[in-house]
Amino acid sequence: MDDRIGIDSTLLGVAGVMLPEAVIKGGKGAISVNRLNETDLVEVYSVNGALILRERSNGLKSKTIALQPGIYLVKVSSGRKTQTTKKIVVS
């Protein structure tokens, strides 16, 4: 018998409330982050690990971040938990 508890990697549960995963997309000269929750933290890192940007959503449901062409890691955190991390190409 297996007593381990499974965790769904796309949703965070807090007292029965499920938070949807943020949608992160790269494009021409920018990264867009959609489906943000009120207090999500958005962090953008270069592929070398340097922090490029760290901003709270401050109630916004979406955010567009202008960047130079390159490859970036984008992390969205909700509270103390990482909700989404993606590698994104900006052309």
Coordinates of all heavy atoms in Angstrom, one line a residue:
M1 N 0.8 -1.2 0.0 CA 0.0 0.0 0.0 C 0.9 1.2 0.0 O 1.8 1.4 0.7 CB -0.9 0.0 1.2 CG -1.8 1.1 1.3 SD -3.1 0.8 2.5 CE -3.4 2.4 3.1
D2 N 0.6 2.2 -0.9 CA 1.3 3.4 -1.0 C 0.6 4.6 -0.3 O -0.5 4.9 -0.6 CB 1.5 3.8 -2.5 CG 2.5 4.9 -2.7 OD1 2.9 5.5 -1.8 OD2 2.8 5.1 -3.9
D3 N 1.3 5.1 0.8 CA 0.7 6.2 1.5 C 1.1 7.6 1.1 O 0.8 8.6 1.8 CB 1.0 6.0 3.0 CG 0.3 4.8 3.6 OD1 -0.8 4.4 3.2 OD2 1.0 4.2 4.5
R4 N 1.8 7.7 0.0 CA 2.3 9.0 -0.5 C 1.1 9.8 -1.0 O 0.2 9.3 -1.6 CB 3.3 8.9 -1.5 CG 4.6 8.3 -1.0 CD 5.7 8.2 -2.0 NE 5.2 7.2 -2.9 CZ 5.9 6.8 -4.0 NH1 7.0 7.5 -4.4 NH2 5.5 5.8 -4.8
I5 N 1.2 11.1 -0.9 CA 0.2 12.1 -1.4 C 0.7 12.7 -2.7 O 1.8 13.2 -2.8 CB -0.1 13.2 -0.4 CG1 -0.7 12.6 0.9 CG2 -1.1 14.2 -1.0 CD1 -0.9 13.5 2.0
G6 N -0.1 12.6 -3.8 CA 0.3 13.2 -5.0 C 0.0 14.7 -5.1 O -0.9 15.2 -4.4
I7 N 0.8 15.4 -5.8 CA 0.7 16.9 -6.0 C 0.5 17.1 -7.5 O 1.3 16.7 -8.3 CB 1.9 17.6 -5.4 CG1 2.0 17.4 -3.9 CG2 1.7 19.1 -5.8 CD1 3.2 18.0 -3.3
D8 N -0.5 17.9 -7.9 CA -0.7 18.3 -9.2 C 0.2 19.5 -9.5 O 0.0 20.5 -8.9 CB -2.2 18.7 -9.4 CG -2.5 19.0 -10.9 OD1 -1.6 19.2 -11.7 OD2 -3.7 19.1 -11.2
S9 N 1.1 19.3 -10.5 CA 2.1 20.4 -10.7 C 1.5 21.6 -11.4 O 2.2 22.6 -11.5 CB 3.2 19.8 -11.6 OG 2.7 19.4 -12.8
T10 N 0.3 21.6 -11.9 CA -0.3 22.7 -12.6 C -1.2 23.6 -11.8 O -1.5 24.7 -12.2 CB -1.0 22.3 -13.9 OG1 -2.1 21.5 -13.5 CG2 -0.1 21.6 -14.9
L11 N -1.6 23.1 -10.6 CA -2.5 23.8 -9.7 C -2.0 23.9 -8.3 O -1.4 22.9 -7.9 CB -3.9 23.2 -9.8 CG -4.6 23.2 -11.1 CD1 -5.9 22.5 -11.0 CD2 -4.9 24.6 -11.6
L12 N -2.2 25.0 -7.6 CA -1.9 25.1 -6.2 C -3.2 25.0 -5.4 O -4.1 25.8 -5.8 CB -1.1 26.3 -5.9 CG 0.2 26.5 -6.6 CD1 0.7 27.9 -6.3 CD2 1.2 25.5 -6.1
G13 N -3.3 24.2 -4.4 CA -4.5 24.2 -3.6 C -4.3 24.8 -2.3 O -3.3 24.5 -1.6
V14 N -5.1 25.7 -1.9 CA -5.1 26.3 -0.5 C -6.5 26.3 0.0 O -7.4 27.0 -0.5 CB -4.6 27.8 -0.6 CG1 -4.5 28.4 0.8 CG2 -3.2 27.9 -1.3
A15 N -6.7 25.5 1.0 CA -8.0 25.4 1.7 C -9.1 25.2 0.7 O -10.1 25.9 0.7 CB -8.3 26.6 2.6
G16 N -8.9 24.4 -0.3 CA -9.9 24.1 -1.3 C -10.0 25.1 -2.5 O -10.8 24.9 -3.4
V17 N -9.2 26.1 -2.5 CA -9.2 27.1 -3.6 C -8.1 26.7 -4.5 O -6.9 26.5 -4.1 CB -9.0 28.5 -3.0 CG1 -8.9 29.5 -4.2 CG2 -10.1 28.9 -2.1
M18 N -8.4 26.6 -5.8 CA -7.4 26.2 -6.8 C -7.0 27.4 -7.6 O -7.9 28.2 -8.1 CB -7.9 25.1 -7.7 CG -8.4 23.9 -7.0 SD -7.1 23.1 -5.9 CE -6.3 22.2 -7.1
L19 N -5.7 27.7 -7.8 CA -5.2 28.8 -8.5 C -4.7 28.3 -9.9 O -3.9 27.4 -9.9 CB -4.0 29.5 -7.8 CG -4.4 30.0 -6.4 CD1 -3.1 30.5 -5.7 CD2 -5.4 31.1 -6.4
P20 N -5.2 28.9 -11.0 CA -4.8 28.5 -12.3 C -3.3 28.8 -12.6 O -2.8 29.8 -12.0 CB -5.7 29.2 -13.3 CG -6.1 30.4 -12.5 CD -6.1 30.0 -11.0
E21 N -2.7 28.0 -13.4 CA -1.3 28.3 -13.8 C -1.2 29.4 -14.7 O -2.0 29.6 -15.6 CB -0.7 27.0 -14.4 CG 0.7 27.1 -14.8 CD 1.2 25.8 -15.4 OE1 1.2 24.8 -14.7 OE2 1.5 25.8 -16.6
A22 N -0.2 30.3 -14.5 CA 0.1 31.4 -15.4 C 0.5 30.9 -16.8 O 1.1 29.9 -16.9 CB 1.2 32.3 -14.8
V23 N 0.2 31.7 -17.8 CA 0.5 31.3 -19.2 C 1.6 32.3 -19.6 O 1.4 33.5 -19.6 CB -0.7 31.4 -20.1 CG1 -0.3 31.2 -21.6 CG2 -1.8 30.5 -19.7
I24 N 2.8 31.8 -20.0 CA 3.9 32.6 -20.4 C 4.3 32.3 -21.8 O 4.4 31.2 -22.2 CB 5.2 32.2 -19.5 CG1 4.8 32.4 -18.0 CG2 6.4 33.1 -19.9 CD1 5.8 31.8 -17.1
K25 N 4.4 33.4 -22.6 CA 4.7 33.3 -24.0 C 5.8 34.3 -24.4 O 5.8 35.4 -24.0 CB 3.5 33.5 -24.9 CG 2.4 32.5 -24.7 CD 1.2 32.8 -25.6 CE 0.1 31.7 -25.3 NZ -1.1 32.0 -26.1
G26 N 6.7 33.8 -25.3 CA 7.7 34.7 -25.9 C 7.3 35.2 -27.2 O 6.4 34.6 -27.9
G27 N 7.8 36.3 -27.7 CA 7.5 36.8 -29.0 C 8.5 37.8 -29.5 O 9.7 37.7 -29.0
K28 N 8.1 38.6 -30.4 CA 9.1 39.6 -31.0 C 9.3 40.7 -30.0 O 8.4 41.6 -29.8 CB 8.5 40.1 -32.3 CG 9.5 40.9 -33.1 CD 9.0 41.1 -34.5 CE 10.2 41.8 -35.2 NZ 10.0 41.8 -36.6
G29 N 10.4 40.8 -29.4 CA 10.8 41.8 -28.5 C 10.2 41.9 -27.1 O 10.3 42.8 -26.4
A30 N 9.4 40.8 -26.8 CA 8.7 40.9 -25.5 C 8.3 39.5 -25.0 O 8.3 38.5 -25.8 CB 7.5 41.7 -25.6
I31 N 8.0 39.4 -23.7 CA 7.4 38.2 -23.1 C 6.1 38.6 -22.5 O 6.0 39.7 -21.9 CB 8.3 37.7 -21.9 CG1 9.6 37.1 -22.5 CG2 7.6 36.7 -21.1 CD1 10.6 36.8 -21.4
S32 N 5.1 37.8 -22.7 CA 3.8 38.1 -22.1 C 3.4 37.0 -21.1 O 3.7 35.9 -21.3 CB 2.7 38.2 -23.2 OG 2.5 36.9 -23.8
V33 N 2.9 37.5 -20.0 CA 2.5 36.6 -18.9 C 1.0 36.9 -18.6 O 0.7 38.0 -18.3 CB 3.3 36.8 -17.6 CG1 3.0 35.8 -16.5 CG2 4.8 36.8 -17.9
N34 N 0.2 35.8 -18.7 CA -1.2 36.0 -18.6 C -1.8 35.1 -17.5 O -1.1 34.1 -17.1 CB -2.0 35.7 -19.9 CG -1.5 36.6 -21.0 OD1 -1.7 37.8 -20.9 ND2 -1.0 36.1 -22.0
R35 N -3.0 35.3 -17.1 CA -3.7 34.5 -16.0 C -2.9 34.7 -14.7 O -2.8 33.7 -13.9 CB -3.8 33.0 -16.4 CG -4.8 32.8 -17.5 CD -4.9 31.4 -18.0 NE -5.1 30.5 -16.9 CZ -5.2 29.2 -17.1 NH1 -5.1 28.7 -18.3 NH2 -5.3 28.3 -16.1
L36 N -2.5 35.9 -14.4 CA -1.8 36.2 -13.1 C -2.8 36.3 -12.0 O -4.0 36.8 -12.3 CB -1.0 37.5 -13.2 CG 0.3 37.4 -14.1 CD1 0.8 38.8 -14.3 CD2 1.3 36.5 -13.4
N37 N -2.5 35.9 -10.8 CA -3.3 36.2 -9.6 C -2.9 37.5 -9.0 O -1.8 38.1 -9.4 CB -3.1 35.1 -8.6 CG -3.6 33.8 -9.2 OD1 -4.8 33.7 -9.6 ND2 -2.8 32.8 -9.3
E38 N -3.6 38.1 -8.1 CA -3.5 39.4 -7.6 C -2.1 39.7 -7.0 O -1.6 40.8 -7.2 CB -4.5 39.7 -6.5 CG -5.9 40.0 -7.1 CD -6.8 40.4 -6.0 OE1 -6.4 41.0 -5.0 OE2 -8.0 40.2 -6.2
T39 N -1.4 38.8 -6.4 CA -0.1 39.1 -5.7 C 1.0 38.2 -6.3 O 2.0 38.1 -5.6 CB -0.2 38.8 -4.2 OG1 -0.6 37.5 -4.0 CG2 -1.2 39.8 -3.6
D40 N 0.9 37.7 -7.5 CA 1.9 36.9 -8.1 C 3.2 37.7 -8.2 O 3.2 38.9 -8.5 CB 1.5 36.3 -9.4 CG 0.6 35.1 -9.3 OD1 0.4 34.6 -8.2 OD2 0.1 34.7 -10.4
L41 N 4.3 37.0 -8.1 CA 5.7 37.6 -8.3 C 6.2 37.0 -9.6 O 6.3 35.8 -9.8 CB 6.6 37.2 -7.2 CG 8.0 37.7 -7.3 CD1 8.1 39.2 -7.3 CD2 8.9 37.1 -6.2
V42 N 6.6 37.9 -10.6 CA 7.1 37.5 -11.9 C 8.6 37.9 -11.8 O 9.0 39.0 -11.6 CB 6.4 38.3 -13.0 CG1 7.1 37.9 -14.4 CG2 4.9 38.0 -13.0
E43 N 9.5 36.8 -12.1 CA 10.9 37.0 -12.2 C 11.4 36.6 -13.5 O 11.0 35.5 -14.0 CB 11.6 36.2 -11.1 CG 11.2 36.7 -9.7 CD 11.8 35.8 -8.6 OE1 11.4 34.6 -8.6 OE2 12.5 36.3 -7.8
V44 N 12.3 37.4 -14.1 CA 12.9 37.0 -15.4 C 14.4 36.9 -15.2 O 15.0 37.9 -14.6 CB 12.6 38.1 -16.5 CG1 13.2 37.7 -17.8 CG2 11.1 38.2 -16.7
Y45 N 15.0 35.8 -15.6 CA 16.4 35.6 -15.5 C 17.1 35.4 -16.9 O 16.4 34.8 -17.8 CB 16.7 34.3 -14.7 CG 16.3 34.4 -13.3 CD1 15.0 34.1 -12.9 CD2 17.1 34.9 -12.3 CE1 14.6 34.1 -11.6 CE2 16.7 34.9 -10.9 CZ 15.4 34.6 -10.6 OH 15.0 34.7 -9.3
S46 N 18.3 35.8 -17.1 CA 19.0 35.5 -18.3 C 19.4 34.0 -18.2 O 19.4 33.4 -17.1 CB 20.3 36.3 -18.4 OG 21.3 36.0 -17.4
V47 N 19.9 33.4 -19.3 CA 20.3 32.0 -19.2 C 21.6 31.8 -18.4 O 21.9 30.7 -18.0 CB 20.6 31.4 -20.7 CG1 19.3 31.2 -21.4 CG2 21.5 32.2 -21.5
N48 N 22.3 32.9 -18.1 CA 23.4 32.9 -17.2 C 23.0 33.0 -15.7 O 23.9 32.9 -14.8 CB 24.4 34.1 -17.5 CG 25.0 34.0 -18.9 OD1 25.1 32.9 -19.4 ND2 25.2 35.1 -19.5
G49 N 21.7 33.1 -15.5 CA 21.2 33.2 -14.1 C 21.1 34.6 -13.5 O 20.7 34.7 -12.3
A50 N 21.4 35.6 -14.3 CA 21.3 37.0 -13.8 C 19.9 37.4 -13.7 O 19.1 37.2 -14.7 CB 22.1 37.9 -14.7
L51 N 19.4 38.0 -12.6 CA 18.1 38.5 -12.5 C 17.9 39.7 -13.3 O 18.6 40.7 -13.2 CB 17.8 38.8 -11.0 CG 16.4 39.3 -10.7 CD1 15.3 38.3 -11.0 CD2 16.3 39.8 -9.2
I52 N 17.0 39.7 -14.3 CA 16.7 40.8 -15.2 C 15.6 41.7 -14.6 O 15.6 42.9 -14.7 CB 16.3 40.3 -16.6 CG1 17.4 39.3 -17.2 CG2 16.0 41.4 -17.6 CD1 18.7 40.0 -17.4
L53 N 14.6 41.0 -14.1 CA 13.4 41.8 -13.6 C 12.7 41.0 -12.5 O 12.6 39.7 -12.6 CB 12.4 41.9 -14.8 CG 11.0 42.5 -14.5 CD1 11.0 44.0 -14.8 CD2 9.9 41.8 -15.2
R54 N 12.2 41.7 -11.5 CA 11.4 41.1 -10.5 C 10.3 42.1 -10.1 O 10.6 43.2 -9.7 CB 12.3 40.9 -9.2 CG 11.4 40.4 -8.0 CD 12.3 40.3 -6.8 NE 12.4 38.9 -6.6 CZ 13.4 38.3 -5.8 NH1 14.3 39.1 -5.2 NH2 13.5 37.0 -5.7
E55 N 9.0 41.7 -10.4 CA 7.9 42.6 -10.2 C 6.7 41.8 -9.7 O 6.5 40.7 -10.1 CB 7.4 43.3 -11.5 CG 8.4 44.3 -12.0 CD 7.8 45.0 -13.3 OE1 6.7 44.6 -13.7 OE2 8.4 45.9 -13.8
R56 N 5.9 42.4 -8.9 CA 4.6 41.8 -8.4 C 3.5 42.2 -9.4 O 3.6 43.2 -10.1 CB 4.2 42.4 -7.1 CG 5.1 41.9 -6.0 CD 4.3 41.2 -4.9 NE 5.1 40.6 -4.0 CZ 5.3 39.2 -3.9 NH1 4.6 38.5 -4.6 NH2 6.1 38.7 -3.0
S57 N 2.5 41.4 -9.6 CA 1.5 41.6 -10.5 C 0.6 42.8 -10.1 O 0.0 43.5 -10.9 CB 0.6 40.4 -10.7 OG 0.0 40.0 -9.5
N58 N 0.5 43.1 -8.7 CA -0.2 44.2 -8.2 C -1.7 44.3 -8.8 O -2.1 45.4 -9.2 CB 0.5 45.5 -8.4 CG 1.8 45.6 -7.7 OD1 1.9 45.1 -6.6 ND2 2.8 46.2 -8.2
G59 N -2.3 43.2 -8.8 CA -3.7 43.1 -9.3 C -3.9 43.0 -10.7 O -5.0 42.8 -11.2
L60 N -2.8 43.1 -11.5 CA -3.0 43.0 -13.0 C -3.1 41.5 -13.3 O -2.5 40.6 -12.7 CB -1.7 43.5 -13.7 CG -1.5 45.0 -13.5 CD1 -0.2 45.4 -14.2 CD2 -2.6 45.8 -14.1
K61 N -3.9 41.2 -14.3 CA -4.1 39.8 -14.8 C -3.1 39.4 -15.8 O -2.9 38.2 -16.1 CB -5.6 39.6 -15.3 CG -6.6 39.8 -14.2 CD -6.5 38.7 -13.2 CE -7.6 38.9 -12.1 NZ -7.5 38.1 -11.0
S62 N -2.5 40.4 -16.5 CA -1.5 40.1 -17.5 C -0.4 41.2 -17.5 O -0.6 42.3 -16.9 CB -2.1 40.0 -18.9 OG -2.6 41.3 -19.2
K63 N 0.8 40.8 -18.0 CA 1.9 41.7 -18.0 C 2.7 41.4 -19.3 O 2.9 40.3 -19.6 CB 2.7 41.4 -16.7 CG 3.9 42.3 -16.5 CD 4.6 42.0 -15.2 CE 4.0 42.6 -14.0 NZ 4.0 44.0 -13.9
T64 N 3.2 42.5 -19.9 CA 4.0 42.4 -21.1 C 5.4 43.0 -20.7 O 5.4 44.2 -20.2 CB 3.4 43.1 -22.3 OG1 2.2 42.5 -22.6 CG2 4.3 43.0 -23.5
I65 N 6.5 42.3 -21.0 CA 7.8 42.7 -20.6 C 8.7 42.8 -21.8 O 8.9 41.8 -22.5 CB 8.4 41.7 -19.6 CG1 7.5 41.5 -18.4 CG2 9.8 42.1 -19.2 CD1 7.8 40.3 -17.6
A66 N 9.1 44.1 -22.1 CA 10.0 44.3 -23.3 C 11.4 43.8 -23.0 O 11.9 44.2 -21.9 CB 9.9 45.7 -23.7
L67 N 12.0 43.0 -23.9 CA 13.3 42.5 -23.7 C 14.1 42.4 -25.0 O 13.5 42.4 -26.1 CB 13.2 41.1 -23.1 CG 12.7 40.9 -21.7 CD1 12.4 39.5 -21.4 CD2 13.7 41.5 -20.7
Q68 N 15.4 42.4 -24.9 CA 16.2 42.2 -26.1 C 16.1 40.8 -26.5 O 15.8 39.9 -25.7 CB 17.7 42.5 -25.7 CG 18.0 43.9 -25.3 CD 17.8 44.9 -26.5 OE1 18.2 44.6 -27.6 NE2 17.2 46.0 -26.2
P69 N 16.4 40.5 -27.8 CA 16.3 39.1 -28.3 C 17.3 38.2 -27.5 O 18.4 38.6 -27.1 CB 16.8 39.2 -29.7 CG 16.4 40.6 -30.2 CD 16.7 41.4 -28.9
G70 N 16.8 37.0 -27.2 CA 17.6 36.1 -26.4 C 16.7 35.0 -25.7 O 15.5 34.9 -26.0
I71 N 17.4 34.2 -24.9 CA 16.7 33.1 -24.2 C 16.6 33.5 -22.7 O 17.6 33.9 -22.1 CB 17.4 31.8 -24.4 CG1 17.5 31.4 -25.8 CG2 16.7 30.7 -23.6 CD1 18.3 30.3 -26.2
Y72 N 15.4 33.4 -22.1 CA 15.2 33.8 -20.7 C 14.5 32.7 -20.0 O 13.8 31.9 -20.6 CB 14.3 35.1 -20.7 CG 15.0 36.3 -21.4 CD1 14.8 36.5 -22.7 CD2 15.8 37.1 -20.6 CE1 15.4 37.6 -23.3 CE2 16.5 38.2 -21.3 CZ 16.2 38.4 -22.6 OH 16.9 39.5 -23.2
L73 N 14.6 32.7 -18.7 CA 13.9 31.9 -17.8 C 12.9 32.8 -17.1 O 13.3 33.8 -16.5 CB 14.7 31.2 -16.7 CG 15.8 30.2 -17.3 CD1 16.7 29.7 -16.2 CD2 15.1 29.0 -18.0
V74 N 11.6 32.4 -17.1 CA 10.6 33.2 -16.5 C 9.9 32.4 -15.4 O 9.5 31.2 -15.6 CB 9.5 33.7 -17.5 CG1 8.4 34.5 -16.8 CG2 10.1 34.4 -18.6
K75 N 9.9 32.9 -14.2 CA 9.3 32.2 -13.0 C 8.2 33.0 -12.4 O 8.3 34.2 -12.2 CB 10.4 32.0 -12.0 CG 10.0 31.4 -10.7 CD 11.2 31.1 -9.8 CE 10.9 31.5 -8.4 NZ 12.1 31.3 -7.5
V76 N 7.0 32.4 -12.2 CA 5.9 33.0 -11.6 C 5.6 32.3 -10.3 O 5.5 31.1 -10.2 CB 4.6 33.0 -12.5 CG1 3.4 33.6 -11.7 CG2 4.9 33.7 -13.8
S77 N 5.6 33.1 -9.2 CA 5.4 32.5 -7.8 C 4.1 33.1 -7.2 O 3.8 34.3 -7.4 CB 6.6 32.8 -6.9 OG 7.8 32.3 -7.4
S78 N 3.4 32.3 -6.5 CA 2.2 32.7 -5.8 C 2.4 32.4 -4.4 O 2.5 31.2 -4.0 CB 1.0 31.9 -6.4 OG -0.2 32.4 -5.8
G79 N 2.6 33.4 -3.6 CA 2.9 33.2 -2.1 C 4.3 32.7 -2.0 O 5.2 33.3 -2.6
R80 N 4.5 31.6 -1.3 CA 5.8 31.0 -1.2 C 6.1 29.9 -2.1 O 7.1 29.2 -2.0 CB 6.0 30.5 0.3 CG 6.0 31.7 1.2 CD 6.3 31.2 2.6 NE 6.3 32.3 3.5 CZ 6.5 32.2 4.8 NH1 6.8 31.0 5.3 NH2 6.5 33.2 5.6
K81 N 5.2 29.6 -3.0 CA 5.3 28.5 -3.9 C 5.5 28.9 -5.4 O 4.9 29.8 -5.9 CB 4.1 27.6 -3.9 CG 3.9 27.0 -2.5 CD 2.7 26.1 -2.4 CE 2.6 25.5 -1.0 NZ 1.7 24.4 -0.9
T82 N 6.4 28.2 -6.1 CA 6.6 28.5 -7.5 C 5.5 27.9 -8.3 O 5.2 26.7 -8.1 CB 8.0 27.9 -8.0 OG1 9.0 28.5 -7.3 CG2 8.1 28.1 -9.5
Q83 N 4.8 28.7 -9.0 CA 3.6 28.2 -9.8 C 4.0 27.7 -11.2 O 3.6 26.7 -11.6 CB 2.6 29.4 -9.9 CG 1.3 29.1 -10.5 CD 0.5 30.3 -10.7 OE1 0.9 31.4 -10.5 NE2 -0.8 30.1 -11.0
T84 N 4.9 28.5 -11.8 CA 5.3 28.1 -13.2 C 6.8 28.6 -13.4 O 7.1 29.7 -13.0 CB 4.4 28.8 -14.2 OG1 3.1 28.5 -13.9 CG2 4.7 28.4 -15.6
T85 N 7.6 27.8 -14.1 CA 8.9 28.3 -14.6 C 9.0 27.8 -16.0 O 8.8 26.6 -16.3 CB 10.0 27.7 -13.7 OG1 9.8 28.1 -12.4 CG2 11.4 28.2 -14.2
K86 N 9.3 28.7 -16.9 CA 9.5 28.3 -18.3 C 10.7 29.0 -19.0 O 11.1 30.1 -18.6 CB 8.2 28.7 -19.1 CG 7.0 28.0 -18.7 CD 6.0 27.8 -19.8 CE 4.9 27.0 -19.2 NZ 3.9 26.7 -20.2
K87 N 11.3 28.3 -19.9 CA 12.3 28.9 -20.8 C 11.7 29.5 -22.0 O 10.9 28.8 -22.7 CB 13.3 27.8 -21.2 CG 14.4 28.3 -22.0 CD 15.5 27.3 -22.3 CE 15.1 25.9 -22.6 NZ 16.1 25.0 -23.0
I88 N 11.9 30.7 -22.3 CA 11.3 31.5 -23.3 C 12.3 32.1 -24.3 O 13.3 32.6 -23.8 CB 10.4 32.6 -22.7 CG1 9.3 32.0 -21.8 CG2 9.8 33.5 -23.8 CD1 8.3 31.2 -22.5
V89 N 12.0 32.1 -25.6 CA 12.8 32.7 -26.6 C 12.1 34.0 -27.0 O 11.0 34.0 -27.4 CB 13.0 31.8 -27.8 CG1 13.8 32.5 -28.9 CG2 13.7 30.5 -27.4
V90 N 12.9 35.1 -27.0 CA 12.4 36.4 -27.5 C 13.2 36.7 -28.8 O 14.4 36.6 -28.8 CB 12.7 37.5 -26.5 CG1 12.4 38.9 -27.0 CG2 11.9 37.3 -25.2
S91 N 12.5 36.9 -29.8 CA 13.1 37.2 -31.2 C 13.2 38.6 -31.5 O 12.6 39.5 -30.8 CB 12.4 36.5 -32.3 OG 11.0 36.8 -32.3

